[in-house]
Amino acid sequence: MNNCTVQPALHVRGDISVPGDKSISHRAVMLGALGKGVTVVRGFLRGEDTFSTLNAFRTMGVGAREDAGALFIDGKGMNGLEEPSDVLDCGNSGTSMRLMTGLLAGQKFFSVLTGDRYLRNRPMGRVIEPLGRMGAKIWGRCGGAKAPLAVQGTPLKGTSYASPVASAQVKSALLLAGLFAEGDTVVTEPSLSRDHSERMLRYFGADVEQLSSGARIRGGGSLEAREVLVPGDISSAAFFIVAALVVPGSELLIRGVGTNPTRTGIIDIMLQMGASLELSNEREVCGEPVADILVRSSRLKGIEIGGELVPRAIDEFPAICIAAACAEGKTILRDAKELRVKETDRIAAMAANLSKAGITVIETEDGLEITGSERLSACSVDSFGDHRIAMSMMVAGLVSDSGIQVSDIGCIETSFPGFAELLEKVACR
Ligand code: S3P
């Protein structure tokens, strides 16, 4: 259990970049493993979550080596994965578990997936149920609702599935199963979740069509090895965006951030709150939009957030809660019930932590109401084993009266190695 106390800062200043996008890094390993030839991944996130995916593919006979800052994956082709001789450990990573369950459902072998105590408590029925419609044979604890999961690979048939949740993990699990299925697989969702799978599948040569709310894939194709340049993760940049907005006199340039429109809810929400954010050097890299983001401290005001903005900022709400706690007036978040089934219940966790910092917070079934304040009180809070809760409360420390102590911050290694050091580097005292 390691703890960390973040002291108040006078300003946040610097010119930084953040580690590679987690979602894109996972997908690069998965598609690289299935491609024909050697896939080179530059900017791969060296976090515990993405190493869980990489290690799982190594257990299935995929060669991978890091050299001169790049990851080289020896693709095995569509039928080249080997039956894993051990359980595949997904650690804390929902993306590893849900996407691999889809991918493994259509293989010619048996596999078992497990994870840490947080992941073993997260809902898996949302992928197992629709995969079952394709003919998949998957078993899990609690009647198939929870991991460990056992997957007996079997021939699959394409399906048309209207997902009740806007979830890229559900959509991607079905698309990866659809790659191995007979015929077409179509997934639609209530509003569009991140579309990295669709973009990368197309980049690797799959027959994928993007729909206004979902995607279609044709089964039976093959993938070609590619070079993937992974942009900075906007979900990691979010903590620095909020830090620079709420600490007075700040100016921070964050270079090379992925700005896929299915992920830029944080930018839209901050702009609505009155943020000074400028995007420059906008370009496209390997099918993904990328930009530099200049952030200047701003007087934020409370707003109402709901609807299609929620999936576009789904991982950023812990950071957005800190912006709301520093804004003038009340911020109301609704339609965000999904936050209750993330790495922890993020609605309950942020309500508990902000209350300790002296903020008036009301927890609702599907969101939060946060009344902003001039300054946060010194306090000790818990990460609840969730990397994004830990990082958001460390950012809160920068605007506290005399520091915030966050316990159990080891979880930050899942997505952002070096976070504490980078935060200290940009914080002027
Ligand atoms: C992810 C999708 C999101 C997100 C998670 C990563 C992905 O989950 O919260 O951190 O890489 O597909 P859901 O799709 O379940 O909302």
Short mmCIF file of all heavy atoms in Angstrom, two decimals, residues 59-107:
data_model
loop_
_atom_site.label_atom_id
_atom_site.label_comp_id
_atom_site.label_asym_id
_atom_site.label_seq_id
_atom_site.Cartn_x
_atom_site.Cartn_y
_atom_site.Cartn_z
N THR A 59 1.24 -16.09 -23.97
CA THR A 59 0.85 -17.44 -23.50
C THR A 59 0.20 -18.23 -24.64
O THR A 59 0.16 -19.45 -24.61
CB THR A 59 -0.11 -17.31 -22.29
OG1 THR A 59 0.48 -16.43 -21.35
CG2 THR A 59 -0.39 -18.63 -21.62
N MET A 60 -0.33 -17.50 -25.62
CA MET A 60 -0.93 -18.20 -26.78
C MET A 60 0.05 -18.30 -27.95
O MET A 60 -0.34 -18.46 -29.10
CB MET A 60 -2.21 -17.46 -27.20
CG MET A 60 -3.31 -17.59 -26.13
SD MET A 60 -4.89 -16.92 -26.65
CE MET A 60 -4.70 -15.19 -26.31
N GLY A 61 1.35 -18.19 -27.62
CA GLY A 61 2.40 -18.48 -28.60
C GLY A 61 2.82 -17.31 -29.47
O GLY A 61 3.57 -17.48 -30.44
N VAL A 62 2.38 -16.09 -29.12
CA VAL A 62 2.74 -14.92 -29.93
C VAL A 62 4.07 -14.35 -29.44
O VAL A 62 4.22 -14.06 -28.25
CB VAL A 62 1.63 -13.85 -29.85
CG1 VAL A 62 2.03 -12.60 -30.64
CG2 VAL A 62 0.31 -14.42 -30.36
N GLY A 63 5.01 -14.21 -30.35
CA GLY A 63 6.30 -13.62 -30.00
C GLY A 63 6.19 -12.10 -29.99
O GLY A 63 5.55 -11.52 -30.87
N ALA A 64 6.78 -11.47 -28.98
CA ALA A 64 6.76 -10.01 -28.91
C ALA A 64 8.03 -9.56 -28.24
O ALA A 64 8.47 -10.17 -27.26
CB ALA A 64 5.55 -9.53 -28.13
N ARG A 65 8.65 -8.51 -28.77
CA ARG A 65 9.87 -7.98 -28.13
C ARG A 65 9.88 -6.46 -28.22
O ARG A 65 9.32 -5.88 -29.15
CB ARG A 65 11.13 -8.57 -28.77
CG ARG A 65 11.30 -8.19 -30.21
CD ARG A 65 12.38 -8.97 -30.93
NE ARG A 65 12.55 -8.42 -32.28
CZ ARG A 65 11.72 -8.66 -33.28
NH1 ARG A 65 10.66 -9.41 -33.13
NH2 ARG A 65 11.94 -8.11 -34.48
N GLU A 66 10.50 -5.86 -27.21
CA GLU A 66 10.63 -4.40 -27.22
C GLU A 66 12.05 -4.07 -27.63
O GLU A 66 13.01 -4.68 -27.15
CB GLU A 66 10.33 -3.84 -25.82
CG GLU A 66 8.87 -3.98 -25.44
CD GLU A 66 8.56 -3.29 -24.12
OE1 GLU A 66 8.27 -2.09 -24.13
OE2 GLU A 66 8.64 -3.97 -23.09
N ASP A 67 12.16 -3.10 -28.53
CA ASP A 67 13.48 -2.73 -29.01
C ASP A 67 13.44 -1.26 -29.44
O ASP A 67 12.52 -0.86 -30.17
CB ASP A 67 13.86 -3.62 -30.21
CG ASP A 67 15.32 -3.49 -30.57
OD1 ASP A 67 16.09 -2.98 -29.73
OD2 ASP A 67 15.69 -3.89 -31.70
N ALA A 68 14.40 -0.50 -28.97
CA ALA A 68 14.52 0.92 -29.33
C ALA A 68 13.18 1.65 -29.21
O ALA A 68 12.78 2.39 -30.09
CB ALA A 68 15.08 1.04 -30.76
N GLY A 69 12.50 1.42 -28.09
CA GLY A 69 11.26 2.15 -27.82
C GLY A 69 10.05 1.67 -28.58
O GLY A 69 8.97 2.24 -28.45
N ALA A 70 10.19 0.60 -29.37
CA ALA A 70 9.03 0.09 -30.12
C ALA A 70 8.73 -1.34 -29.69
O ALA A 70 9.61 -2.05 -29.20
CB ALA A 70 9.29 0.14 -31.61
N LEU A 71 7.49 -1.75 -29.89
CA LEU A 71 7.09 -3.13 -29.59
C LEU A 71 6.88 -3.85 -30.92
O LEU A 71 6.14 -3.36 -31.79
CB LEU A 71 5.78 -3.10 -28.79
CG LEU A 71 5.13 -4.45 -28.50
CD1 LEU A 71 5.99 -5.30 -27.58
CD2 LEU A 71 3.74 -4.24 -27.87
N PHE A 72 7.55 -4.98 -31.08
CA PHE A 72 7.44 -5.78 -32.30
C PHE A 72 6.62 -7.03 -31.99
O PHE A 72 6.97 -7.77 -31.07
CB PHE A 72 8.82 -6.17 -32.83
CG PHE A 72 9.65 -4.99 -33.26
CD1 PHE A 72 10.32 -4.20 -32.32
CD2 PHE A 72 9.73 -4.64 -34.60
CE1 PHE A 72 11.07 -3.09 -32.71
CE2 PHE A 72 10.48 -3.53 -35.01
CZ PHE A 72 11.15 -2.76 -34.06
N ILE A 73 5.55 -7.25 -32.74
CA ILE A 73 4.67 -8.40 -32.49
C ILE A 73 4.72 -9.31 -33.71
O ILE A 73 4.41 -8.88 -34.83
CB ILE A 73 3.21 -7.94 -32.25
CG1 ILE A 73 3.17 -6.96 -31.07
CG2 ILE A 73 2.29 -9.12 -32.01
CD1 ILE A 73 1.87 -6.20 -30.98
N ASP A 74 5.10 -10.57 -33.47
CA ASP A 74 5.15 -11.54 -34.58
C ASP A 74 3.76 -12.10 -34.78
O ASP A 74 3.34 -13.01 -34.05
CB ASP A 74 6.13 -12.68 -34.25
CG ASP A 74 7.55 -12.16 -34.11
OD1 ASP A 74 7.92 -11.24 -34.87
OD2 ASP A 74 8.28 -12.64 -33.22
N GLY A 75 3.04 -11.56 -35.74
CA GLY A 75 1.66 -11.98 -36.00
C GLY A 75 1.59 -13.45 -36.39
O GLY A 75 2.47 -13.95 -37.09
N LYS A 76 0.56 -14.14 -35.92
CA LYS A 76 0.43 -15.58 -36.19
C LYS A 76 -0.61 -15.85 -37.26
O LYS A 76 -0.89 -17.03 -37.55
CB LYS A 76 0.01 -16.31 -34.91
CG LYS A 76 0.94 -16.08 -33.72
CD LYS A 76 2.11 -17.01 -33.70
CE LYS A 76 1.70 -18.36 -33.18
NZ LYS A 76 2.84 -19.26 -33.11
N GLY A 77 -1.24 -14.81 -37.78
CA GLY A 77 -2.31 -15.04 -38.75
C GLY A 77 -3.60 -15.41 -38.04
O GLY A 77 -3.62 -15.62 -36.82
N MET A 78 -4.69 -15.52 -38.81
CA MET A 78 -6.02 -15.69 -38.21
C MET A 78 -6.17 -17.03 -37.47
O MET A 78 -6.97 -17.14 -36.56
CB MET A 78 -7.10 -15.59 -39.29
CG MET A 78 -7.20 -14.21 -39.92
SD MET A 78 -7.52 -12.92 -38.71
CE MET A 78 -9.25 -13.20 -38.41
N ASN A 79 -5.41 -18.04 -37.88
CA ASN A 79 -5.60 -19.35 -37.26
C ASN A 79 -4.37 -19.83 -36.51
O ASN A 79 -4.21 -21.02 -36.27
CB ASN A 79 -6.00 -20.39 -38.33
CG ASN A 79 -7.37 -20.05 -38.89
OD1 ASN A 79 -8.33 -19.89 -38.14
ND2 ASN A 79 -7.42 -19.87 -40.21
N GLY A 80 -3.52 -18.90 -36.11
CA GLY A 80 -2.22 -19.31 -35.56
C GLY A 80 -2.10 -19.27 -34.05
O GLY A 80 -1.07 -19.68 -33.51
N LEU A 81 -3.11 -18.78 -33.34
CA LEU A 81 -2.97 -18.75 -31.88
C LEU A 81 -2.95 -20.18 -31.35
O LEU A 81 -3.61 -21.06 -31.91
CB LEU A 81 -4.13 -17.97 -31.24
CG LEU A 81 -4.23 -16.47 -31.56
CD1 LEU A 81 -5.43 -15.87 -30.85
CD2 LEU A 81 -2.95 -15.73 -31.20
N GLU A 82 -2.21 -20.37 -30.25
CA GLU A 82 -2.13 -21.72 -29.65
C GLU A 82 -2.94 -21.77 -28.36
O GLU A 82 -3.05 -20.77 -27.66
CB GLU A 82 -0.67 -22.04 -29.30
CG GLU A 82 0.22 -22.17 -30.52
CD GLU A 82 1.70 -22.06 -30.17
OE1 GLU A 82 2.06 -22.18 -28.96
OE2 GLU A 82 2.49 -21.86 -31.10
N GLU A 83 -3.45 -22.96 -28.05
CA GLU A 83 -4.21 -23.12 -26.81
C GLU A 83 -3.31 -22.74 -25.63
O GLU A 83 -2.22 -23.28 -25.48
CB GLU A 83 -4.69 -24.56 -26.65
CG GLU A 83 -5.51 -24.74 -25.38
CD GLU A 83 -6.18 -26.11 -25.34
OE1 GLU A 83 -5.48 -27.09 -25.02
OE2 GLU A 83 -7.38 -26.19 -25.63
N PRO A 84 -3.76 -21.79 -24.78
CA PRO A 84 -2.91 -21.41 -23.65
C PRO A 84 -2.83 -22.54 -22.63
O PRO A 84 -3.85 -23.15 -22.30
CB PRO A 84 -3.62 -20.18 -23.06
CG PRO A 84 -5.03 -20.25 -23.55
CD PRO A 84 -5.01 -21.02 -24.84
N SER A 85 -1.61 -22.81 -22.14
CA SER A 85 -1.44 -23.93 -21.20
C SER A 85 -1.72 -23.48 -19.78
O SER A 85 -1.57 -24.24 -18.83
CB SER A 85 -0.02 -24.48 -21.32
OG SER A 85 0.88 -23.43 -21.04
N ASP A 86 -2.08 -22.22 -19.62
CA ASP A 86 -2.38 -21.70 -18.28
C ASP A 86 -3.53 -20.70 -18.40
O ASP A 86 -3.88 -20.26 -19.51
CB ASP A 86 -1.12 -21.02 -17.71
CG ASP A 86 -1.16 -20.92 -16.18
OD1 ASP A 86 -2.21 -21.23 -15.58
OD2 ASP A 86 -0.14 -20.49 -15.62
N VAL A 87 -4.07 -20.34 -17.23
CA VAL A 87 -5.13 -19.33 -17.17
C VAL A 87 -4.58 -17.99 -17.67
O VAL A 87 -3.43 -17.65 -17.41
CB VAL A 87 -5.59 -19.21 -15.70
CG1 VAL A 87 -6.48 -18.02 -15.47
CG2 VAL A 87 -6.26 -20.50 -15.27
N LEU A 88 -5.38 -17.24 -18.43
CA LEU A 88 -4.97 -15.92 -18.90
C LEU A 88 -5.38 -14.90 -17.82
O LEU A 88 -6.57 -14.75 -17.52
CB LEU A 88 -5.65 -15.60 -20.24
CG LEU A 88 -5.37 -16.62 -21.36
CD1 LEU A 88 -6.19 -16.30 -22.61
CD2 LEU A 88 -3.88 -16.69 -21.69
N ASP A 89 -4.39 -14.21 -17.27
CA ASP A 89 -4.65 -13.29 -16.16
C ASP A 89 -4.78 -11.87 -16.70
O ASP A 89 -3.79 -11.28 -17.13
CB ASP A 89 -3.53 -13.39 -15.12
CG ASP A 89 -3.85 -12.56 -13.88
OD1 ASP A 89 -4.89 -11.86 -13.86
OD2 ASP A 89 -3.04 -12.61 -12.94
N CYS A 90 -5.98 -11.33 -16.64
CA CYS A 90 -6.23 -9.97 -17.16
C CYS A 90 -5.98 -8.89 -16.13
O CYS A 90 -6.20 -7.70 -16.42
CB CYS A 90 -7.67 -9.88 -17.68
SG CYS A 90 -8.03 -11.07 -18.99
N GLY A 91 -5.55 -9.28 -14.93
CA GLY A 91 -5.25 -8.28 -13.90
C GLY A 91 -6.47 -7.43 -13.60
O GLY A 91 -7.54 -7.93 -13.28
N ASN A 92 -6.32 -6.11 -13.75
CA ASN A 92 -7.40 -5.16 -13.45
C ASN A 92 -8.15 -4.72 -14.71
O ASN A 92 -9.03 -3.89 -14.67
CB ASN A 92 -6.75 -3.91 -12.79
CG ASN A 92 -7.75 -2.94 -12.22
OD1 ASN A 92 -7.86 -1.79 -12.69
ND2 ASN A 92 -8.49 -3.35 -11.22
N SER A 93 -7.78 -5.34 -15.85
CA SER A 93 -8.19 -4.76 -17.14
C SER A 93 -9.46 -5.35 -17.74
O SER A 93 -9.47 -6.46 -18.29
CB SER A 93 -7.03 -4.93 -18.13
OG SER A 93 -7.45 -4.55 -19.42
N GLY A 94 -10.53 -4.58 -17.68
CA GLY A 94 -11.80 -4.95 -18.30
C GLY A 94 -11.67 -5.07 -19.81
O GLY A 94 -12.29 -5.94 -20.44
N THR A 95 -10.86 -4.21 -20.42
CA THR A 95 -10.68 -4.27 -21.88
C THR A 95 -10.04 -5.59 -22.27
O THR A 95 -10.49 -6.25 -23.23
CB THR A 95 -9.83 -3.07 -22.35
OG1 THR A 95 -10.44 -1.87 -21.90
CG2 THR A 95 -9.73 -3.04 -23.86
N SER A 96 -8.99 -6.02 -21.53
CA SER A 96 -8.36 -7.30 -21.86
C SER A 96 -9.39 -8.41 -21.78
O SER A 96 -9.52 -9.22 -22.71
CB SER A 96 -7.23 -7.64 -20.86
OG SER A 96 -6.33 -6.58 -20.74
N MET A 97 -10.14 -8.44 -20.68
CA MET A 97 -11.05 -9.57 -20.48
C MET A 97 -12.19 -9.58 -21.48
O MET A 97 -12.48 -10.60 -22.12
CB MET A 97 -11.60 -9.58 -19.06
CG MET A 97 -12.49 -10.79 -18.82
SD MET A 97 -12.89 -11.03 -17.11
CE MET A 97 -11.39 -11.76 -16.48
N ARG A 98 -12.86 -8.45 -21.66
CA ARG A 98 -14.05 -8.47 -22.53
C ARG A 98 -13.66 -8.66 -24.00
O ARG A 98 -14.28 -9.44 -24.71
CB ARG A 98 -14.86 -7.19 -22.31
CG ARG A 98 -15.42 -7.10 -20.87
CD ARG A 98 -16.64 -6.21 -20.81
NE ARG A 98 -17.19 -6.16 -19.48
CZ ARG A 98 -17.03 -5.13 -18.62
NH1 ARG A 98 -16.33 -4.07 -18.98
NH2 ARG A 98 -17.58 -5.16 -17.43
N LEU A 99 -12.64 -7.96 -24.46
CA LEU A 99 -12.26 -8.10 -25.87
C LEU A 99 -11.72 -9.50 -26.16
O LEU A 99 -12.04 -10.12 -27.17
CB LEU A 99 -11.25 -7.02 -26.28
CG LEU A 99 -11.87 -5.71 -26.78
CD1 LEU A 99 -12.75 -5.06 -25.74
CD2 LEU A 99 -10.81 -4.73 -27.25
N MET A 100 -10.88 -10.01 -25.23
CA MET A 100 -10.32 -11.34 -25.49
C MET A 100 -11.39 -12.42 -25.43
O MET A 100 -11.30 -13.42 -26.14
CB MET A 100 -9.17 -11.64 -24.52
CG MET A 100 -7.93 -10.83 -24.86
SD MET A 100 -6.42 -11.53 -24.20
CE MET A 100 -6.67 -11.35 -22.48
N THR A 101 -12.40 -12.24 -24.59
CA THR A 101 -13.49 -13.23 -24.55
C THR A 101 -14.13 -13.35 -25.94
O THR A 101 -14.38 -14.45 -26.44
CB THR A 101 -14.54 -12.85 -23.49
OG1 THR A 101 -13.88 -12.81 -22.22
CG2 THR A 101 -15.67 -13.84 -23.42
N GLY A 102 -14.36 -12.21 -26.58
CA GLY A 102 -14.92 -12.23 -27.94
C GLY A 102 -13.98 -12.90 -28.91
O GLY A 102 -14.37 -13.78 -29.70
N LEU A 103 -12.70 -12.52 -28.83
CA LEU A 103 -11.71 -13.06 -29.76
C LEU A 103 -11.52 -14.57 -29.58
O LEU A 103 -11.35 -15.32 -30.56
CB LEU A 103 -10.40 -12.31 -29.52
CG LEU A 103 -9.26 -12.43 -30.50
CD1 LEU A 103 -8.39 -11.19 -30.39
CD2 LEU A 103 -8.42 -13.66 -30.23
N LEU A 104 -11.58 -15.04 -28.33
CA LEU A 104 -11.31 -16.46 -28.04
C LEU A 104 -12.52 -17.34 -28.37
O LEU A 104 -12.35 -18.55 -28.59
CB LEU A 104 -10.92 -16.62 -26.56
CG LEU A 104 -9.55 -16.02 -26.21
CD1 LEU A 104 -9.36 -15.96 -24.70
CD2 LEU A 104 -8.43 -16.83 -26.87
N ALA A 105 -13.71 -16.73 -28.41
CA ALA A 105 -14.93 -17.54 -28.60
C ALA A 105 -14.91 -18.33 -29.90
O ALA A 105 -15.49 -19.41 -29.99
CB ALA A 105 -16.16 -16.63 -28.55
N GLY A 106 -14.23 -17.80 -30.92
CA GLY A 106 -14.24 -18.46 -32.23
C GLY A 106 -12.97 -19.25 -32.53
O GLY A 106 -12.76 -19.68 -33.66
N GLN A 107 -12.09 -19.46 -31.51
CA GLN A 107 -10.85 -20.22 -31.75
C GLN A 107 -11.14 -21.73 -31.69
O GLN A 107 -12.23 -22.15 -31.32
CB GLN A 107 -9.78 -19.85 -30.72
CG GLN A 107 -9.48 -18.36 -30.65
CD GLN A 107 -9.01 -17.79 -31.98
OE1 GLN A 107 -8.16 -18.37 -32.64
NE2 GLN A 107 -9.57 -16.64 -32.37
#
